[in-house]
C-alpha cells in the first residue's frame, strides 16, 4: 500500500509510529513525510527550478500506490543520476522531488506542519525545523524521530538561528 523511503539519519521512535501512520492514513494524499522545508529564494539552481521549492525532507517519505506504480515515478528514478556529493543530492533530488511530483498532479502532506514557524527566526526565512526547533517538534508536535545531525551540527550554526537550547530541552 505504501512504499517507505527512509535513511539512517534519525533516531527513534520517540513516540509510537502508529500515531503518525494513523494520522496520515486519514489524509487523502499520494505521498507524505514527517517534516517539510519551506520554499526559499536562493542562488542555487534546484533541478529545473531557480529557487528551492517547499519539499518533504527526504529522511522519511511514504509513497502511496497510485504514485509508486505510476509511469512518472518509474521515469523519475530511472533518470536520476548517482550523486557522490551530498549537496548535489540535496539540490537536485531532495529539494526537487516534492515539487516535481506535485507538478505531475500528485498530492502531498507532512505529519508535522511547521508553516506557522516560518519567519519567527532571524533572517525571516523558513528553516529546517527538525534541526533548529527540535524541542518544539518533539515535545509539542510529537515528532517520532530526532535527526542525528542535531548532535553533530556546529554550535555556531545553532547560534546563528537560535540560542541552542532546543536540543538540550529535547534531550
Amino acid at each position: 500500500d505504501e512504499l517507505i523511503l527512509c535513511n539512517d539519519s534519525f533516531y527513534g521512535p520517540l513516540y509510537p509510529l502508529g500515531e503518525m501512520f494513523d494520522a496520515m492514513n486519514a489524509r487523502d494524499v499520494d505521498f507524505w513525510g514527517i517534516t517539510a522545508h519551506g520554499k526559499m529564494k536562493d542562488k542555487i539552481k534546484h533541478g529545473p527550478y531557480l529557487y528551492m521549492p517547499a519539499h518533504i525532507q527526504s529522511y522519511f517519505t511514504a509513497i502511496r500506490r497510485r504514485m509508486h506504480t505510476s509511469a512518472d515515478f518509474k521515469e523519475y528514478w530511472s533518470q536520476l543520476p548517482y550523486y557522490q556529493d551530498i549537496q548535489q543530492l540535496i539540490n537536485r533530488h531532495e529539494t526537487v522531488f516534492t515539487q516535481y511530483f506535485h507538478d505531475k498532479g500528485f498530492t502531498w502532506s507532512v505529519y508535522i506542519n511547521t508553516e506557522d514557524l516560518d519567519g519567527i527566526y532571524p533572517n525571516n526565512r523558513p528553516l529546517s525545523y527538525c534541526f533548529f526547533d527540535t524541542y518544539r517538534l518533539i515535545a509539542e508536535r510529537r515528532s517520532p524521530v530526532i535527526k542525528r545531525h542535531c548532535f553533530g551540527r556546529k554550535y555556531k550554526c545553532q547560534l546563528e538561528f537560535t540560542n541552542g537550547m532546543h536540543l538540550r530541552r529535547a534531550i
Side-chain angles (χ1 to χ4, degrees):
D1 293 330
E2 285 184 322
L3 172 65
I4 307 294
L5 303 176
C6 66
N7 60 36
D8 65 350
S9 67
F10 60 89
Y11 297 117
L14 306 174
Y15 297 105
L17 292 177
E19 292 178 14
M20 177 178 68
F21 280 99
D22 289 346
M24 296 313 294
N25 282 339
R27 298 185 198 180
D28 186 20
V29 295
D30 296 306
F31 64 116
W32 60 273
I34 298 176
T35 55
H37 194 293
K39 176 182 174 180
M40 287 179 58
K41 295 178 182 178
D42 59 17
K43 298 175 183 164
I44 300 169
K45 187 173 184 205
H46 296 269
Y49 309 104
L50 299 176
Y51 63 97
M52 185 175 76
H55 62 276
I56 293 171
Q57 293 180 296
S58 65
Y59 64 90
F60 187 100
T61 308
I63 301 157
R64 297 204 170 132
R65 183 181 312 262
R66 181 175 102 80
M67 186 168 139
H68 74 71
T69 59
S70 72
D72 292 323
F73 190 76
K74 182 177 181 178
E75 180 182 347
Y76 178 86
W77 289 105
S78 68
Q79 293 184 6
L80 188 71
Y82 177 78
Y83 296 111
Q84 293 186 355
D85 177 82
I86 186 69
Q87 198 58 53
Q88 282 185 336
L89 179 66
I90 291 168
N91 293 346
R92 297 180 187 158
H93 165 65
E94 177 175 336
T95 62
V96 171
F97 183 87
T98 304
Q99 187 65 44
Y100 174 86
F101 283 103
H102 176 78
D103 291 348
K104 297 284 187 182
F106 295 98
T107 57
W108 65 281
S109 184
V110 289
Y111 178 57
I112 300 174
N113 187 333
T114 56
E115 289 177 357
D116 62 311
L117 303 177
D118 290 351
I120 68 170
Y121 288 99
N123 300 327
N124 201 27
R125 64 181 186 157
L127 294 176
S128 183
Y129 298 108
C130 61
F131 298 125
F132 293 105
D133 212 339
T134 310
Y135 175 77
R136 186 184 328 245
L137 267 58
I138 292 171
E140 297 175 10
R141 301 184 186 193
R142 295 185 65 82
S143 173
V145 301
I146 186 169
K147 293 287 290 172
R148 288 177 47 202
H149 196 62
C150 292
F151 299 99
R153 197 169 199 99
K154 293 183 179 177
Y155 201 59
K156 179 182 176 187
C157 186
Q158 287 283 345
L159 293 177
E160 180 181 352
F161 298 104
T162 71
N163 65 4
M165 292 304 294
H166 294 285
L167 179 59
R168 185 179 180 133
R169 287 181 72 199
I171 293 170

